[in-house]
C-alpha cells in the first residue's frame, strides 16, 4: 500500500532549464536551498536515445544529493510516475529568477 513518491523538479541552470525526477526533496539546512536526492532516470532498454536525458544522466552521475537555490526553482510537482528527464534552452525572457532584495 505504500506508494513511492516521485517529484518532477524544474529549475534553471545558467541558460538552460533542467527537468529532473527525484524520489526525495526537502528544505535544506543551508538557507535558501532545496535538497534533491535519489534522482530517477528512465530505463536504457529503449531503442532511441534522447541526448538531453543522456546529458543529465552524465551530469548527475555519482551525485548523492544536489542543493538547488530557491531562486532557480521554477516548479516542483508530485507526479504519478517518472518521465524522461530533459534539458531545454531558455528562449527569450520567459524564465526569470525570483527578484531578491539587494544585499
Amino acid at each position: 500500500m505504500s506508494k513511492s513518491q516521485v517529484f518532477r523538479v524544474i529549475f534553471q541552470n545558467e541558460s538552460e532549464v533542467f527537468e529532473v525526477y527525484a524520489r526525495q526533496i526537502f528544505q535544506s539546512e543551508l538557507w535558501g536551498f532545496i535538497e534533491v536526492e535519489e534522482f530517477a532516470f528512465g530505463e536504457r532498454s529503449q531503442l532511441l536515445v534522447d541526448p538531453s536525458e543522456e546529458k543529465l544522466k552524465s551530469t548527475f552521475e555519482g551525485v548523492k544529493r544536489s542543493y538547488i537555490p530557491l531562486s532557480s526553482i521554477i516548479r516542483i510537482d508530485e507526479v504519478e510516475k517518472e518521465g524522461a528527464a530533459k534539458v531545454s534552452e531558455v528562449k527569450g525572457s520567459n524564465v526569470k529568477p525570483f527578484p531578491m532584495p539587494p544585499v
Side-chain angles (χ1 to χ4, degrees):
M1 184 148 112
S2 68
K3 193 173 183 180
S4 174
Q5 291 180 317
V6 178
F7 298 94
R8 177 176 51 215
V9 182
I10 304 171
F11 63 97
Q12 184 173 356
N13 184 29
E14 296 177 0
S15 65
E16 298 176 318
V17 175
F18 286 12
E19 180 177 324
V20 296
Y21 291 83
R23 292 188 174 79
Q24 297 281 334
I25 60 168
F26 46 91
Q27 181 70 40
S28 174
E29 292 179 3
L30 294 170
W31 188 80
F33 287 85
I34 294 289
E35 289 185 39
V36 180
E37 294 181 353
E38 298 181 38
F39 291 98
F41 295 102
E43 296 295 322
R44 287 190 168 197
S45 61
Q46 298 174 350
L47 188 57
L48 298 174
V49 176
D50 182 8
S52 67
E53 186 174 17
E54 291 300 315
K55 177 182 177 180
L56 283 172
K57 281 182 185 179
S58 65
T59 299
F60 291 104
E61 184 178 2
V63 174
K64 179 179 177 182
R65 177 180 303 130
S66 187
Y67 297 89
I68 302 172
L70 284 173
S71 61
S72 296
I73 300 287
I74 297 170
R75 182 177 180 146
I76 298 174
D77 297 319
E78 184 175 358
V79 295
E80 294 286 325
K81 60 182 181 175
E82 62 192 59
K86 41 183 156 170
V87 177
S88 55
E89 293 281 325
V90 175
K91 297 190 190 291
S93 60
N94 292 339
V95 180
K96 293 193 182 224
F98 191 77
M100 300 297 285
V103 180

